[in-house]
Amino acid sequence: MADLPQPVPVPLLVDTVSDAFGALASVAVAYFAFRGYRLTGEATLFHLHASFALIGAGLLVHAAAKIHMLALGASRPGPPPGVLRFELLGYAYAVSFLAEAAAYLILVYEYLRRTEAAAPSRAAALPPPLPPLLSFPSSGALRAGQPLPPLVEHHPAAELLLTFLLVLITYFAASNYSATRDRGAALVTLGFASLAASHLLYSMGAVSVGFVTAAGPVRVLGFSAFLGVLAGLGGEGG
Amino acid sequence: MTGGGRRATKRYRTRMRICRDILDVVRSEGGAAGPTRILYGANLSHERMTRYLADLMERGLLEEEVGEDGRTLYRITERGLEFLREFRKVERFASAFGFAV
């Protein structure tokens, strides 16, 4: 039995498409930010470039691993071997998670730097103190000298960490929008808010796989908003 | 950390930002402007302005010409206008994220 190729699971397919789309959109934003950096020499644009390049690279690795899995499933009868399933996807997810976390940290740093430069009274400008970050339950697994284990795909703790960083970035983007009322700023706010929502949905994947399926389109919406910013630049005359 | 020292809130213009300001002054004057207009419009010292004008002309963004009254004028080229358009796009892009360039 089970000699026929397995049907493609819908959540995996949606996730793969949203990863691939997100990677391409991020590369487009990173490219424009780099062009801006070359033109102006502003470090801020280089940081923006670096953060979107990291997001794009991470999503590309994750998408490539999933495409590989899908191709394996389509070309051979029965499910792919368990080792491949967990090791490959787990490591690809770990790469994607680390890249995204680094990217969002760069953005948070850049927003804090900007806030500090704009307002000397930091206490008034910064958001109110937030509760302590997540505590990872299995801290014993992260002993010094041991290689990091691959993360389980869409690990709730990892996803919540990304959600936290994105909520912070959304706060800064929304502050910018409330000050400027600019269409581009609205799209950036929508983009980061959608990414935050998608990671929140991913974190609830253990409750129901429907959340993972829903997260994909939400993420596509977020990256489409970033592409909308670029499209708006092309549309407006100089 | 930074100790008690406060980071200066004044933003210094990058070299490219100064080039953009000069070209913007020339463009807003109808495409050609004299050195005094540029000096005040771009908020530069005479020495720095001379250096920047030479650089902009070398890169083909401005060209020097003599007006009917014998005064020197600097005219923005098509390449200079293209530079301004591109710079504005970058400014709008950065501003959408809440950053100034």
Side-chain angles (χ1 to χ4, degrees):
Chain A
M1 60 170 272
D3 278 305
L4 292 171
Q6 293 290 300
V8 176
V10 173
L12 182 61
L13 190 64
V14 171
D15 213 23
T16 307
V17 170
S18 80
D19 271 357
F21 181 79
L24 293 177
S26 301
V27 167
V29 176
Y31 169 72
F32 194 85
F34 189 69
R35 255 177 65 186
Y37 167 68
R38 294 244 342 237
L39 186 71
T40 63
E42 282 282 348
T44 298
L45 286 171
F46 184 78
H47 292 152
L48 201 56
H49 154 74
S51 61
F52 274 92
L54 276 169
I55 296 168
L59 289 178
L60 206 59
V61 168
H62 202 190
K66 283 180 205 159
I67 289 168
H68 181 66
M69 294 296 293
L70 288 171
L72 267 183
S75 66
R76 65 156 68 182
V83 173
L84 253 182
R85 181 193 295 263
F86 290 111
E87 292 276 307
L88 181 68
L89 282 186
Y91 278 116
Y93 176 69
V95 168
S96 173
F97 162 71
L98 290 174
E100 274 194 78
Y104 300 144
L105 282 171
I106 291 173
L107 283 176
V108 168
Y109 162 76
E110 198 53 53
Y111 276 115
L112 287 174
R113 203 167 70 108
R114 183 205 62 155
T115 308
E116 189 175 81
S121 59
R122 281 186 67 182
L126 289 176
L130 290 153
L133 253 178
L134 302 161
S135 57
F136 286 79
S138 56
S139 55
L142 299 175
R143 268 182 237 110
Q146 281 190 346
L148 278 172
L151 282 170
V152 178
E153 266 217 300
H154 304 305
H155 191 286
E159 293 298 333
L160 283 174
L161 178 69
L162 295 179
T163 306
F164 168 78
L165 290 172
L166 277 162
V167 165
L168 207 56
I169 294 168
T170 305
Y171 167 82
F172 287 118
S175 304
N176 175 49
Y177 171 67
S178 70
T180 61
R181 298 280 162 190
D182 173 56
R183 178 182 163 276
L187 285 171
V188 167
T189 307
L190 173 68
F192 285 126
S194 301
L195 293 189
S198 75
H199 282 293
L200 190 63
L201 288 168
Y202 279 129
S203 75
M204 297 190 289
V207 179
S208 162
V209 76
F211 287 121
V212 176
T213 313
V218 174
R219 186 155 63 168
V220 167
L221 172 71
F223 283 112
S224 302
F226 292 127
L227 287 181
V229 176
L230 296 185
L233 297 175
E236 292 167 42
Chain B
M1 265 189 57
T2 54
R6 269 277 160 239
R7 179 196 289 254
T9 54
K10 180 174 168 58
R11 269 178 61 85
Y12 290 98
R13 289 185 294 176
T14 59
R15 211 173 135 270
M16 285 310 194
R17 176 70 201 219
I18 294 172
C19 290
R20 175 242 190 241
D21 288 349
I22 292 174
L23 291 173
D24 213 23
V25 170
V26 176
R27 191 198 54 82
S28 65
E29 289 293 317
T36 312
R37 274 263 178 242
I38 295 172
L39 189 100
Y40 286 110
N43 196 21
L44 290 167
S45 67
H46 185 267
E47 188 197 337
R48 288 186 88 192
M49 183 194 69
T50 310
R51 239 182 320 125
Y52 275 102
L53 287 177
D55 186 34
L56 287 170
M57 284 190 293
E58 196 180 303
R59 290 200 283 151
L61 304 177
L62 275 185
E63 54 194 16
E64 196 177 38
E65 64 181 34
V66 180
E68 289 171 3
D69 52 0
R71 283 171 49 194
T72 304
L73 289 175
Y74 295 93
R75 181 170 294 282
I76 190 165
T77 63
E78 190 48 50
R79 211 169 154 199
L81 288 170
E82 180 56 37
F83 172 89
L84 269 184
R85 277 192 287 270
E86 194 65 20
F87 204 103
R88 280 207 201 94
K89 269 190 197 177
V90 172
E91 278 180 322
R92 281 202 305 269
F93 170 74
S95 136
F97 282 87
F99 304 126
V101 292

